[in-house]
Amino acid sequence: MNRVESPNRERGRLARSDWLARLRRAVVWSAGGPPALPVGGLLVLALLATMALQPDVPNPPTAADVRAAACPSDARLLDRQGVVLHERRVDQRRRRLAWTPLDAVSPALIDAVLTSEDRRFHTHGGVDLVAVATAAWQRLRGGAPRGASTISMQVAALLDPSLRRPGGPRGATAKWRQMRAAWRLEAIWSKDDILAAYLNLVTFRGELQGIAAAAEVLFGKAPHGLTAAEATVLASLLRAPNAERPALARRAAALQRADGGAGTAALDAVIARVIDVTPHLPARRADAPHLARRLLPEGDACDATTTTLDAAVQSAARDAVQRHLLALQGRGVRDAAVLVADNASGDVLAYVGSSGALSAAAQVDGVRAARQAGSTLKPFLYAAAIEQRLLTAASRLDDTPLEIAVAGGLFQPRNYDAVFRGPVSVRTALAGSLNVPAVRALQLLGADPFAARLRALGFAGVRRRGAWYGPALALGSADVTLWELVGAYRVLASGGAWSPLRLRPDEAVMAPRPVLAPAAAFIVADILADRAGRAVTFGLESPLSTRFWSAAKTGTSTDMRDNWCLGFSRRFTVGVWVGNFSGTPMHDVSGVSGAAPIWQEVMEALHRDLPSPPPSPPAGLERIGDEWFVAGTAPGSGAPAAPTTAPRILAPTDGTIVGLDPEIPAARQRIPLEAADAAGLRWQLAGNDLGDAGRTVLWPPTRGRHVVALVDAGGVALATATVDVRGR
């Protein structure tokens, strides 16, 4: 571990005369009474008395400072209640868990460690002079070297790297400095603090530092659950952490005899386990890997990071992903992501970025990955049109074949089931996710206003003008993320106000920003909760139905590369994406068969014990029959009937490039201007009138970039097309 510097390193030096007094007391403490030392011990005392005149050692750090500095080797991600969600290795030198207090350690281990390392720990003052004298006398007589370091001396060396052995036996001077550091430690720390520090800082085997890591890896348990045999083997590892089996067995057997134990069967089994287990500690929890990479700091594990997540909700979402993707095996589905948010606070309760082991690219974060939106943007299109009083939930839109000229050809929207239903209400069109009516609604609202509304809802990827996306914007041609979609659907659940989602409880809470009229948000939520309304496409019973009030919308992108299910109850918003990070299409997997079952399971888990009554209507609404209307827009209220089509330019399409032919006389080169539903409108170019838009006009092009516009009597442009003329 890193050396912990004492705040009073340059202070508190004891006088040398005090050291001599301590030395005399230490002799008495070591022997439990008047010392009876061999001749070698007297020589040692003389040597120690001489060394007492050497420079002093600094005061050690406090026990509290040492505990605070002993960070785990893994940074920890916590849920809102402090439950560990994820651990990520940040210290590659050692593996260490959180500090274990002495009262959480098995008494059997404490006894074994004291027997092995320091029998007179509770009676000496930091240095066991009986052991020192005995070791010195044995060495003088030519015997094998014998250690005499007490636990206090070992802790002193663990705290100060300069006191550690350089690879061989310590010299007399180094030994003396270690002894003096131990005396100083004993003067400041309690015996329990010293023993606890030893058990937490010492290396047991391989990279395992501290009793918590050793007990977890070698025996799969907490330190308080260690048996007598396990304690004996762990204590035997202290002097030789990487000992081979024969040496460990001899040491453990000797320690067991010295400790009064009997029988070797249990000991042999424990030794076999220790030898066979790789001394490596994998992450104990890995429930939020993508969020851990985003939030956990690099190289710092002292302070755990607390999130807004709920461990139970995270587990339910992860399990739902695993279960339903396994059910789709054989249909080309590998990946999924889930995001759950609290409607009131914006707190994210679950963040599942991938399907884990089922994924071919599990490191990709599906919550933040940009994918095609499919039909998930339709609710915001209709909400904007209702807010602008262009449509009501009862308005009729034609679900009939439609062709729109676009750059590169014709745009011909089709419904998911390839069936056209004729005139349908907005309620049926949105609830049943019909495509042609959505395109007609976009023609009414305008692509530019819709793109601007999407940006206000938090869709940062919608950067261009609506004309760039064209009519396909109604069907989800823009790239969005699950994070953005959940934030936007939470707007519908919250009465039209947007505020950012939160991942940490210490993030600032922003005031909600209105982006949709409350009345429009309520009507759209009511449509998305309508089982009968969605029955035209999904039937009365589907994975979009729950036993409580909820609203939901699915989406499927081109070629079934992505499918979505977004929805909300009174308390929660849940978003699910299913697909492949590689972009590979799925086989016959739509939003209702891929993402919706996961959405339903997560939503049901959230409301296992919570009700979700229908929301109360906001001010500015009126109910006529079975339908809700913004006040003043109901049939018969005097409001003008909303049109079902909008003026649009058929030719030239936006972005057309024209090349002038030098071989053809300029008077014969003309570009036809054609429009639909343009009665009473005029063609305009650079402020110049080109003629009646109710008929085809032939425009003589000139080199340059031009914007052709359909304008009303007041000169307001209702549709535009950009033409780039080149040549000559």
Side-chain angles (χ1 to χ4, degrees):
M1 65 173 285
N2 294 330
R3 179 176 180 178
V4 181
E5 295 292 345
S6 171
N8 55 356
R9 178 177 175 84
E10 301 301 326
R11 303 195 309 267
R13 307 286 189 174
L14 296 180
R16 291 184 178 87
S17 59
D18 291 339
W19 279 112
L20 294 176
R22 285 182 178 276
L23 183 60
R24 287 192 295 271
R25 289 197 299 272
V27 173
V28 175
W29 291 336
S30 299
L37 301 178
V39 174
L42 296 176
L43 295 175
V44 170
L45 286 177
L47 178 61
L48 295 182
T50 301
M51 290 183 173
L53 301 177
Q54 295 181 1
D56 205 349
V57 294
N59 278 344
T62 66
D65 286 343
V66 171
R67 287 194 298 271
C71 305
S73 56
D74 287 10
R76 293 169 297 153
L77 195 73
L78 309 181
D79 87 335
R80 60 199 303 117
Q81 284 91 28
V83 176
V84 178
L85 286 169
H86 196 92
E87 294 179 330
R88 182 166 61 83
R89 182 80 175 264
V90 293
D91 184 348
Q92 305 302 324
R93 298 168 301 168
R94 61 183 65 83
R95 204 62 188 260
R96 182 168 56 205
L97 300 183
W99 188 276
T100 303
L102 196 60
D103 59 7
V105 178
S106 165
L109 178 68
I110 295 175
D111 291 343
V113 168
L114 294 180
T115 300
S116 171
E117 299 300 306
D118 196 348
R119 292 174 179 270
R120 288 175 287 275
F121 173 72
H122 288 292
T123 58
H124 65 62
V127 178
D128 187 348
L129 291 180
V130 172
V132 171
T134 302
W137 181 245
Q138 182 171 333
R139 191 162 187 176
L140 287 172
R141 297 179 61 185
R146 177 174 176 174
S149 291
T150 63
I151 287 177
S152 302
M153 293 169 66
Q154 294 183 59
V155 170
L158 289 169
L159 297 180
D160 185 348
S162 69
L163 298 177
R164 298 173 193 171
R165 288 192 298 180
R170 291 184 180 88
T173 301
K175 195 70 174 179
W176 171 241
R177 290 186 65 248
Q178 184 188 20
M179 293 166 66
R180 296 182 73 175
W183 278 320
R184 180 64 59 82
L185 187 69
E186 291 262 357
I188 298 175
W189 288 28
S190 71
K191 287 287 188 179
D192 283 355
D193 284 339
I194 295 171
L195 185 55
Y198 181 71
L199 293 174
N200 280 278
L201 300 179
V202 73
T203 296
F204 282 89
R205 190 166 183 83
E207 66 172 3
L208 304 177
Q209 185 182 78
I211 185 56
E216 173 76 24
V217 174
L218 300 178
F219 305 117
K221 58 177 62 175
H224 65 78
L226 294 168
T227 66
E230 292 165 346
T232 298
V233 173
L234 284 175
S236 301
L237 288 170
L238 293 173
R239 296 191 185 179
N242 297 313
E244 298 294 336
R245 185 169 191 159
L248 179 59
R250 288 193 300 271
R251 171 74 180 148
L255 179 58
Q256 186 184 56
R257 290 191 298 271
D259 210 19
T264 60
L267 206 60
D268 290 342
V270 172
I271 292 172
R273 179 185 178 99
V274 169
I275 295 298
D276 292 341
V277 171
T278 301
H280 173 73
L281 181 65
R284 297 181 300 167
R285 295 299 300 270
D287 292 344
H290 303 86
L291 195 56
R293 286 198 300 272
R294 180 173 292 275
L295 296 184
L296 288 181
E298 293 290 340
D300 182 9
C302 283
D303 296 324
T305 300
T306 300
T307 70
T308 60
L309 267 60
D310 184 297
V313 179
Q314 179 77 3
S315 178
R318 186 193 64 242
D319 292 348
V321 165
Q322 297 286 322
R323 185 161 29 254
H324 289 285
L325 257 60
L326 286 172
L328 292 172
Q329 279 190 329
R331 298 171 72 175
V333 186
R334 298 289 297 274
D335 299 298
V338 179
L339 190 68
V340 179
D342 180 270
N343 291 338
S345 65
D347 286 355
V348 173
L349 303 178
Y351 190 115
V352 179
S354 77
S355 57
L358 298 178
S359 174
Q363 300 304 310
V364 176
D365 187 349
V367 172
R368 305 281 185 160
R371 315 290 296 194
Q372 269 204 350
S375 295
T376 58
L377 301 182
K378 289 177 182 175
F380 311 109
L381 168 63
Y382 285 108
I386 291 171
E387 179 184 299
Q388 296 298 315
R389 299 187 173 222
L390 297 171
L391 293 172
T392 73
S395 297
R396 312 293 284 183
L397 292 169
D398 280 340
D399 183 21
T400 55
L402 177 64
E403 292 184 349
I404 302 174
V406 295
L410 291 175
F411 177 64
Q412 299 173 308
R414 296 288 186 270
N415 293 323
Y416 172 72
D417 56 7
V419 175
F420 295 102
R421 294 168 175 81
V424 296
S425 68
V426 165
R427 178 173 289 274
T428 297
L430 175 55
S433 197
L434 302 180
N435 287 338
V436 177
V439 174
R440 296 192 187 279
L442 181 63
Q443 291 177 325
L444 288 170
L445 179 65
D448 283 347
F450 183 41
R453 186 61 61 95
L454 291 176
R455 286 190 287 272
L457 285 159
F459 292 101
V462 184
R463 299 184 180 92
R464 299 176 180 266
R465 294 178 57 244
W468 187 87
Y469 300 98
L473 185 59
L475 309 184
S477 60
D479 285 342
V480 300
T481 68
L482 184 58
W483 180 269
E484 294 169 340
L485 280 168
V486 168
Y489 273 77
R490 179 173 162 251
V491 170
L492 296 173
S494 304
W498 181 91
S499 62
L501 302 177
R502 298 197 316 158
L503 287 170
R504 296 181 58 160
D506 56 0
E507 290 182 48
V509 178
M510 292 181 57
R513 171 169 51 85
V515 292
L516 288 175
F522 176 88
I523 291 173
V524 168
D526 185 68
I527 293 173
L528 296 180
D530 187 353
R531 290 191 186 191
R534 73 171 74 104
V536 65
T537 300
F538 303 106
L540 289 173
E541 293 298 329
S542 73
L544 302 179
S545 301
T546 59
R547 57 183 174 80
F548 45 87
W549 186 90
S550 63
K553 181 73 186 72
T554 60
T556 304
S557 68
T558 305
D559 297 329
M560 294 188 176
R561 297 179 187 276
D562 312 278
N563 62 65
W564 310 83
C565 186
L566 279 295
F568 49 91
S569 64
R570 291 296 300 277
R571 285 282 306 275
F572 309 105
T573 297
V574 177
V576 180
W577 169 82
V578 168
N580 293 298
F581 290 138
S582 65
T584 304
M586 296 170 282
H587 307 313
D588 194 27
V589 180
S590 65
V592 76
S593 61
I598 299 174
W599 176 88
Q600 184 188 53
E601 181 174 330
V602 173
M603 192 63 85
E604 292 283 355
L606 288 166
H607 284 280
R608 185 171 292 116
D609 301 312
L610 291 175
S612 179
S616 301
L621 281 176
E622 56 183 353
R623 190 172 182 86
I624 299 177
D626 294 330
E627 193 55 87
W628 289 100
F629 296 89
V630 175
T633 64
S637 63
T644 58
T645 58
R648 59 192 184 279
I649 298 174
L650 300 178
T653 60
D654 188 50
T656 296
I657 299 175
V658 176
L660 296 176
D661 192 333
E663 302 297 325
I664 300 176
R668 294 192 177 185
Q669 298 192 56
R670 297 288 187 270
I671 295 177
L673 307 181
E674 299 180 56
D677 300 304
L681 304 182
R682 306 289 294 178
W683 289 109
Q684 191 177 86
L685 175 66
N688 299 316
D689 184 81
L690 299 182
D692 181 7
R695 61 181 180 83
T696 300
V697 171
L698 298 178
W699 165 51
T702 58
R703 184 177 177 180
R705 188 176 181 83
H706 307 277
V707 177
V708 179
L710 280 177
V711 299
D712 62 15
V716 176
L718 303 180
T720 61
T722 301
V723 182
D724 189 2
V725 181
R726 303 175 183 177
R728 285 197 182 270

